[in-house]
Amino acid sequence: MLHGAPNGSKGFANPSGWMNRDLFPQVLEHFISIMNVSLQNPGLLIMDNHDSHVTLNVIDLARQSGLTILTFPPHCSHRMQPLDVSVLGPFKTYYNQTCTEYLLAHREKGITIYEVASISATPFYKAFTIENIRAGFKKVGIYPINRNVVPEDAFVSAEPSDRPLPVQNQNDQEGEVPMPVPEMAPGPSGDAPGPCGDTPRPSGVTPGPSGTHQDQPGSHQDQRGLLRAQ
């Protein structure tokens, strides 16, 4: 599968086609070897924090080899990873062009897994240039360091998650969010029922044992006397 691959390539196979925890330590060993990283010659590896990249085996291997691993925050690699912003885009363009040329020249054969490495070689050398790599580190603000490379509007909440702030009444204590009041339909007499559907009772009236209303001493009479006076 590595026939015709770029110099220094290392190949690993997985039925799913994705990196996993078993393969990545081998990839890391290859990186440490190629970069000549050691305790006397420490190195820095910046990458995303996929589950396969941050296992205990990977951390132990990095510490023993003098390698410091720095991971990007989740879902930020499109803005913070040099490969994403300046290298992989051109590589995909060149690779698609090379695939088209190969298919035109080999109509009866097509592209199999055994041709991918050789087809990738030319696009790799055209895209992974010193200029593109340096441009990627500069564009994401890693080197030279630029703390303002990400604009403020990139931190604005997305429209689906944007919600209006709760309205706070003047009588509410600071920091408390008012509870929603359940919607109530009017009762037979036009009065609005309580939250459980019961018609509100006048002040001083309490339900009796059978559910009928009983007057508290003096309270109901006082209320009717007040109504007559009005």
Side-chain angles (χ1 to χ4, degrees):
M1 293 183 184
L2 291 179
H3 175 72
N7 295 332
S9 298
K10 190 79 172 180
F12 302 96
N14 182 25
S16 71
W18 294 92
M19 182 59 63
N20 60 32
R21 299 186 177 193
D22 296 328
L23 294 180
F24 188 72
Q26 302 177 54
V27 176
L28 191 61
E29 290 177 349
H30 179 63
F31 174 82
I32 292 172
S33 175
I34 291 294
M35 298 304 297
N36 194 28
V37 177
S38 65
L39 294 175
Q40 293 73 33
N41 184 39
L44 172 66
L45 174 61
I46 306 175
M47 60 182 181
D48 64 69
N49 56 1
H50 187 266
D51 286 346
S52 64
H53 295 167
V54 288
T55 63
L56 184 59
N57 290 339
V58 168
I59 295 173
D60 286 341
L61 176 59
R63 286 177 175 174
Q64 296 167 7
S65 305
L67 179 66
T68 298
I69 295 178
L70 178 64
T71 62
F72 298 114
H75 312 297
C76 294
S77 58
H78 64 291
R79 282 191 176 271
M80 300 183 67
Q81 191 177 89
L83 281 173
D84 282 353
V85 303
S86 68
V87 178
L88 294 184
F91 174 76
K92 291 177 181 179
T93 300
Y94 297 142
Y95 179 78
N96 289 336
Q97 294 174 353
T98 306
C99 286
T100 301
E101 296 170 359
Y102 183 91
L103 290 173
L104 291 175
H106 304 83
R107 295 177 182 273
E108 72 291 346
K109 182 179 180 182
I111 298 176
T112 70
I113 190 64
Y114 301 102
E115 285 79 44
V116 171
S118 59
I119 292 176
S120 301
T122 299
F124 175 85
Y125 291 123
K126 292 174 66 175
F128 283 73
T129 62
I130 297 296
E131 291 77 13
N132 285 353
I133 294 171
R134 286 178 174 172
F137 277 85
K138 181 178 181 180
K139 187 173 182 179
V140 301
I142 294 178
Y143 186 82
I145 294 177
N146 183 359
R147 297 178 181 272
N148 301 317
V149 70
V150 179
E152 287 296 328
D153 57 9
F155 298 96
V156 177
S157 58
E159 184 176 351
S161 62
D162 194 14
R163 295 290 184 272
L165 295 175
V167 178
Q168 183 174 341
N169 297 328
Q170 293 181 354
N171 296 330
D172 295 330
Q173 294 183 3
E174 185 177 357
E176 292 185 354
V177 179
M179 297 296 293
V181 179
E183 193 173 327
M184 299 176 287
S189 62
D191 296 330
C196 298
D198 296 332
T199 302
R201 300 182 295 273
S203 174
V205 179
T206 58
S210 61
T212 60
H213 294 165
Q214 294 180 342
D215 296 338
Q216 292 182 1
S219 59
H220 198 154
Q221 298 295 336
D222 294 342
Q223 188 179 34
R224 283 188 290 186
L226 178 62
L227 291 175
R228 289 194 193 100
Q230 291 176 346

